[in-house]
Amino acid sequence: MRTIDIFDTTLRDGEQSAGVNLNTVEKIEVAKQLERLGVDVIEAGFPAASKGDFDAVKRIGETVKNISVTGLARASIRDIDAVWESLKTTAEPRLHVFIATSPIHMTHKLKMTPDQVIEKAVETVKYAKKLFPVVQWSAEDAGRTDLNFLVKIMERVIEAGASVINLPDTVGYMTPQKYGEMFRFVRENVPNIDGVKLSAHCHDDLGMATANSLAAIENGADQIEGTINGIGERAGNAALEEVAVALRIREDFYGASTRLKLDEIKKTSALVSKLTGMRVPANKAVVGNNAFAHESGIHQDGMLKEKTTYEIITPELIGVNSTRLVLGKHSGRHAFKNKALELGFDLNEEKLKEAFDTFKDLADKKKEIVDDDLFSILTNKQTEIGEGTGFNLERMQVQYGMDNIPTATIELRDENGDLKQLASTGSGSVEAIYNTIESMLPSPSKLLDYKINSVGGGRDALAEVYVRLEYDGDNTSGRGTAQDVLEASARAYLNAVNRLLQQKATMKEKVAVKAGV
Ligand SMILES: CC(=O)SCCNC(=O)CCNC(=O)[C@H](O)C(C)(C)COP(=O)(O)OP(=O)(O)OC[C@H]1O[C@@H](n2cnc3c(N)ncnc32)[C@H](O)[C@@H]1OP(=O)(O)O
Ligand SMILES: CC(C)C(=O)C(=O)O
Ligand SMILES: [Mg+2]
């Protein structure tokens, strides 16, 4: 049985999803869960892209100890240096450097001739190899690259020191047969390919990312790149959970496996979905809420007689807990702590106590507390912004009537502890709330996107609101959870503003430290 390496790019290509913006604390939580899931490599970001990305990659490298962490770089010395500076103290610093090789990209985007692209690729890989023990080189848009050119450039970058070569289907154009043939072709034609790992990186524009990744494995790929829940640029990347479960369920056919602890999949999927605000569709393979639901009579009859009639994956395989009611208002701290650990949260005593208090408050209002509720409370606690940052919602009252103008009265406490109160109207309750908050904030802000999900099921389910906004000229996003949709809406707005203020404060502090102030 071959073992396939799993290269997770949720925090790099996944974060390139439109509207997704994770802060460093959230990225670290995802990285820790990816470590528990057992991925082999985490691509933590693109350090040259921004100070925030640089810091996140550095902090993840310092936090995650048992797996390799990498950062992405263009074929540019400045980008490579940024990855090195962010990862140089980690156990196995790894670089991922790329340049496009398709005629379309070379001509129109890079404005370089094929020979110039080879020269640039070789020069940068040689430079990188002096710093990094492992250099992964990617031929961006390999899927639309001339195969003979691909062979030529691969031979040269391997000579220069690349030991992992990735052949991305950057625009999701490939079919399984064509993508598989490309891997077979380079295996058979690149003269110095022995000992080099081949990696597949698929996008889902035509809905074939998982099938293409599996075809690459059939044809000699040693590593699969993808993201949790398949999030990513445009239609997303290959969903790692789909690839790993397909290999397990069809072991007979693929004869390959991964090192993933499959029973951590559901938890990882839920965390990524919650933090990114990208809800997993109910019918999504492996991790969708309906993936194990049997609705029709004939199917239910079959399931009752023999589960294998309609179930090829068991919920337990991916860590779905069939006992849904877990804790109630009579539960104590020990059971709560145990449950938190079982759900993968290792909070300090203070945060645990605060989470327990929130749980007790909720248990007073809600009939059943399910894992989803606890997961939401614990994730919010784990990733919350520190005290004293930005604005706190102290009180809110909303008046709504079909024949009245909706009015929101809000009391906010700012970071100096001062209380402010204001009332405004709007065409609906949420607009009234947002008009009031916007009038109370010191800088101009504008709502760009609003999404609402329910956590778990039932009429008393928690509401989770995601917003994207522009505040003081910068884009930011936030989420808020509450039993009431209006309170969740207000909290999400303030969370977005507070996240931005905290990010700016951290940057300012760093600049001051650097300047020795
Ligand atoms: C397929 C992928 O997923 S690729 C990864 C995509 N991820 C990102 O882009 C991360 C976020 N990006 C950023 O923050 C910015 O784009 C930066 C910091 C990387 C670059 O910003 P800018 O310097 O302002 O350049 P901008 O983004 O406008 O254009 C990209 C430039 O990089 C060049 N470029 C693109 N890919 C490569 C490459 N692999 N190697 C070298 N140069 C490259 C382009 O040709 C263009 O160069 P030009 O300015 O000479 O025309
Ligand atoms: C940077 C590369 C690997 C990429 O994300 C792509 O080509 O899709
Ligand atoms: Mg990609």
Side-chain angles (χ1 to χ4, degrees), residues 373-406:
D373 298 317
L374 294 170
F375 188 81
S376 191
I377 291 172
L378 291 161
T379 311
N380 286 346
K381 191 46 68 187
Q382 188 85 306
T383 57
E384 82 181 351
I385 296 169
E387 278 289 304
T389 306
F391 301 87
N392 253 319
L393 182 68
E394 294 288 321
R395 238 181 288 275
M396 182 172 84
Q397 189 183 330
V398 182
Q399 280 172 312
Y400 173 80
M402 270 167 62
D403 301 322
N404 297 329
I405 298 172

Side-chain angles (χ1 to χ4, degrees), residues 23-266:
N23 65 24
T24 302
V25 176
E26 291 163 342
K27 285 183 182 174
I28 289 174
E29 283 313 306
V30 172
K32 283 180 357 198
Q33 180 56 32
L34 290 172
E35 190 177 24
R36 285 191 281 267
L37 176 66
V39 305
D40 299 280
V41 184
I42 293 179
E43 184 164 57
F46 193 141
S50 68
K51 262 182 165 348
D53 245 42
F54 178 91
D55 276 349
V57 174
K58 188 167 184 333
R59 297 264 315 270
I60 290 168
E62 288 161 0
T63 308
V64 168
K65 295 281 177 236
N66 302 316
I67 44 181
S68 189
V69 177
T70 190
L72 185 64
R74 290 172 295 177
S76 131
I77 303 296
R78 181 186 159 268
D79 283 20
I80 294 170
D81 284 345
V83 179
W84 176 245
E85 284 307 314
S86 63
L87 290 176
K88 64 184 177 193
T89 56
T90 61
E92 193 204 48
R94 185 187 279 242
L95 175 76
H96 182 188
V97 59
F98 75 100
I99 192 160
T101 52
S102 66
I104 297 178
H105 279 236
M106 290 190 292
T107 311
H108 301 291
K109 185 184 76 176
L110 298 175
K111 302 192 188 307
M112 288 165 84
T113 65
D115 282 345
Q116 285 171 327
V117 169
I118 293 181
E119 200 182 312
K120 184 59 104 187
V122 169
E123 172 201 324
T124 45
V125 169
K126 266 192 185 152
Y127 177 81
K129 191 58 194 167
K130 292 196 188 121
L131 301 170
F132 293 87
V134 182
V135 174
Q136 166 168 330
W137 178 82
S138 284
E140 188 188 2
D141 204 16
R144 293 188 295 174
T145 295
D146 173 76
L147 286 178
N148 292 317
F149 179 65
L150 198 55
V151 165
K152 192 168 157 190
I153 192 166
M154 280 176 69
E155 183 182 356
R156 297 290 308 281
V157 292
I158 293 168
E159 235 170 59
S163 54
V164 184
I165 303 278
N166 179 35
L167 303 178
D169 178 21
T170 304
V171 291
Y173 179 72
M174 299 302 272
T175 63
Q177 190 187 343
K178 285 287 172 198
Y179 198 54
E181 276 171 16
M182 181 171 73
F183 278 79
R184 189 168 291 276
F185 189 85
V186 298
R187 270 263 175 250
E188 287 170 358
N189 290 284
V190 176
N192 50 356
I193 194 100
D194 283 351
V196 170
K197 275 193 179 170
L198 282 184
S199 183
H201 175 116
C202 297
H203 280 269
D204 209 29
D205 299 67
L206 295 175
M208 289 193 271
T210 299
N212 288 344
S213 305
L214 292 166
I217 291 172
E218 280 183 81
N219 287 280
D222 308 284
Q223 172 174 286
I224 294 298
E225 304 189 7
T227 60
I228 301 301
N229 299 338
I231 65 170
E233 190 86 49
R234 302 183 311 281
N237 288 64
L240 288 176
E241 68 279 4
E242 291 180 14
V243 175
V245 169
L247 289 180
R248 168 66 64 86
I249 300 298
R250 297 310 312 271
E251 213 170 66
D252 57 324
F253 178 71
Y254 291 109
S257 64
T258 69
R259 296 179 193 84
L260 291 197
K261 295 177 192 71
L262 299 183
D263 60 2
E264 289 288 331
I265 283 179
K266 185 69 184 181

Side-chain angles (χ1 to χ4, degrees), residues 176-476:
Q177 190 187 343
K178 285 287 172 198
Y179 198 54
E181 276 171 16
M182 181 171 73
F183 278 79
R184 189 168 291 276
F185 189 85
V186 298
R187 270 263 175 250
E188 287 170 358
N189 290 284
V190 176
N192 50 356
I193 194 100
D194 283 351
V196 170
K197 275 193 179 170
L198 282 184
S199 183
H201 175 116
C202 297
H203 280 269
D204 209 29
D205 299 67
L206 295 175
M208 289 193 271
T210 299
N212 288 344
S213 305
L214 292 166
I217 291 172
E218 280 183 81
N219 287 280
D222 308 284
Q223 172 174 286
I224 294 298
E225 304 189 7
T227 60
I228 301 301
N229 299 338
I231 65 170
E233 190 86 49
R234 302 183 311 281
N237 288 64
L240 288 176
E241 68 279 4
E242 291 180 14
V243 175
V245 169
L247 289 180
R248 168 66 64 86
I249 300 298
R250 297 310 312 271
E251 213 170 66
D252 57 324
F253 178 71
Y254 291 109
S257 64
T258 69
R259 296 179 193 84
L260 291 197
K261 295 177 192 71
L262 299 183
D263 60 2
E264 289 288 331
I265 283 179
K266 185 69 184 181
K267 220 184 283 172
T268 318
S269 160
L271 183 70
V272 169
S273 166
K274 181 171 171 60
L275 295 181
T276 57
M278 292 194 69
R279 194 164 202 188
V280 175
N283 65 334
K284 160 94 173 56
V286 180
V287 287
N289 274 343
N290 287 355
F292 305 104
H294 302 272
E295 164 72 21
S296 65
I298 293 172
H299 288 222
Q300 289 172 342
D301 171 55
M303 282 292 290
L304 288 168
K305 288 174 175 156
E306 167 55 45
K307 281 191 170 175
T308 54
T309 49
Y310 286 105
E311 191 174 79
I312 61 159
I313 313 169
T314 63
E316 292 74 26
L317 181 76
I318 63 151
V320 171
N321 191 346
S322 45
T323 28
R324 293 192 48 90
L325 183 61
V326 282
L327 292 177
K329 68 179 189 177
H330 302 296
S331 306
R333 280 166 212 283
H334 289 298
F336 184 77
K337 186 174 180 177
N338 258 353
K339 189 71 204 176
L341 285 172
E342 197 185 296
L343 290 173
F345 293 89
D346 194 5
L347 292 128
N348 65 31
E349 282 306 314
E350 194 190 336
K351 287 202 169 200
L352 198 67
K353 183 188 170 308
E354 288 165 8
F356 182 73
D357 293 344
T358 311
F359 152 71
K360 278 287 187 175
D361 283 349
L362 184 65
D364 269 339
K365 296 182 207 147
K366 196 169 183 283
K367 212 168 75 201
E368 287 183 351
I369 304 287
V370 296
D371 278 9
D372 288 342
D373 298 317
L374 294 170
F375 188 81
S376 191
I377 291 172
L378 291 161
T379 311
N380 286 346
K381 191 46 68 187
Q382 188 85 306
T383 57
E384 82 181 351
I385 296 169
E387 278 289 304
T389 306
F391 301 87
N392 253 319
L393 182 68
E394 294 288 321
R395 238 181 288 275
M396 182 172 84
Q397 189 183 330
V398 182
Q399 280 172 312
Y400 173 80
M402 270 167 62
D403 301 322
N404 297 329
I405 298 172
T407 308
T409 310
I410 291 180
E411 196 172 273
L412 291 187
R413 191 180 294 280
D414 69 17
E415 52 210 323
N416 305 318
D418 296 333
L419 272 180
K420 289 179 172 183
Q421 205 185 53
L422 195 76
S424 303
T425 58
S427 52
S429 301
V430 173
E431 208 207 359
I433 292 170
Y434 287 177
N435 283 345
T436 314
I437 292 177
E438 283 168 10
S439 304
M440 296 169 93
L441 295 172
S443 301
S445 76
K446 190 170 122 198
L447 183 71
L448 302 175
D449 194 19
Y450 175 96
K451 269 191 288 194
I452 182 159
N453 297 332
S454 73
V455 176
R459 57 197 283 174
D460 58 357
L462 288 175
E464 193 145 57
V465 170
Y466 293 86
V467 294
R468 221 158 38 81
L469 34 117
E470 195 182 292
Y471 181 69
D472 201 13
D474 283 312
N475 279 6
T476 178

